[in-house]
Amino acid sequence: MKRSLGAKTLVYPTPVFIIGSYDSEGRPNAMAASWSGICCSSPPAVSVSLREATYTYGNVMERKAFTISIPGETHWKEADYFGHASGRNEDKFAATGLTPVRSEVVDAPYVGEFPFVVECKLLQTVKIGLHTQFIGEIMDLKADEELLADSKIPLIEQVRPLVFVPIVREYYGIGDKVGKAGSPKK
């Protein structure tokens, strides 16, 4: 028998996305956001929900672009810092020693040390209570070359992305592959 937990912000998995943007003076900024995921196949699109109070919210609204840098497990401390410090008050890239890289495709930076990057132009916003959902058309994906040695896409076991558990505020890595989609007959 299942027990009710009530209405909470808890689903599994919850990805850790680092949203890159430039402010009005061209300074690079990054924030951690976990209210996010793929939202459309054609055009390829991703969504991320941000509170209006965040510095990134204003940046994305002004520049109409953002990036998503996906940190690997080894960068969980930097990802956590990006989620707790404000770009209004400090340079998060300088504080973490990570490198902002200017996208050649959209008007936003990404984190050079993170293995996988999604570059998006803003398609639409949807106000949903406390958050606004930003829907970005995926203009390009970038992956570290060593992740592509044997494949045309970066494999999850090589990227080793973080997932977040909102209620207990903890980070986890990914587990082992358990099967291939479409393979069971029943």
Side-chain angles (χ1 to χ4, degrees), residues 68-92:
I68 299 169
S69 297
I70 299 178
E73 293 171 1
T74 59
H75 285 104
W76 75 268
K77 289 180 182 176
E78 293 88 344
D80 186 61
Y81 175 77
F82 283 150
H84 290 91
S86 174
R88 277 188 189 93
N89 307 320
E90 52 197 290
D91 180 341
K92 296 186 212 181

Side-chain angles (χ1 to χ4, degrees), residues 60-144:
V60 175
M61 290 296 283
E62 181 178 317
R63 299 288 182 135
K64 307 293 186 218
F66 60 94
T67 63
I68 299 169
S69 297
I70 299 178
E73 293 171 1
T74 59
H75 285 104
W76 75 268
K77 289 180 182 176
E78 293 88 344
D80 186 61
Y81 175 77
F82 283 150
H84 290 91
S86 174
R88 277 188 189 93
N89 307 320
E90 52 197 290
D91 180 341
K92 296 186 212 181
F93 283 100
T96 59
L98 296 176
T99 310
V101 177
R102 180 174 292 279
S103 168
E104 297 171 1
V105 181
V106 299
D107 189 17
Y110 59 85
V111 181
E113 291 79 3
F114 292 179
F116 189 54
V117 176
V118 183
E119 297 168 297
C120 303
K121 84 174 175 188
L122 184 62
L123 278 181
Q124 185 176 356
T125 61
V126 179
K127 179 93 169 129
I128 312 170
L130 181 62
H131 287 75
T132 297
Q133 185 177 61
F134 289 83
I135 299 170
E137 181 177 357
I138 298 171
M139 305 307 293
D140 195 21
L141 302 175
K142 289 188 173 33
D144 288 347

Side-chain angles (χ1 to χ4, degrees), residues 13 73 155-163 171-179:
E73 293 171 1
L155 301 175
I156 195 168
E157 63 268 17
Q158 293 172 317
V159 175
R160 303 190 59 80
L162 294 173
V163 293
Y171 298 99
Y172 287 84
I174 58 156
D176 296 327
K177 179 173 90 175
V178 296

Side-chain angles (χ1 to χ4, degrees), residues 9-58:
T9 53
L10 179 64
V11 290
Y12 293 121
T14 306
V16 177
F17 285 175
I18 304 301
I19 309 303
S21 64
Y22 286 118
D23 69 11
S24 60
E25 296 177 16
R27 289 182 300 230
N29 183 55
M31 77 167 281
S34 288
W35 295 181
S36 51
I38 295 293
C39 65
C40 189
S41 300
S42 183
V46 64
S47 67
V48 60
S49 295
L50 306 176
R51 289 179 299 109
E52 193 170 340
T54 66
Y55 195 54
T56 300
Y57 177 99

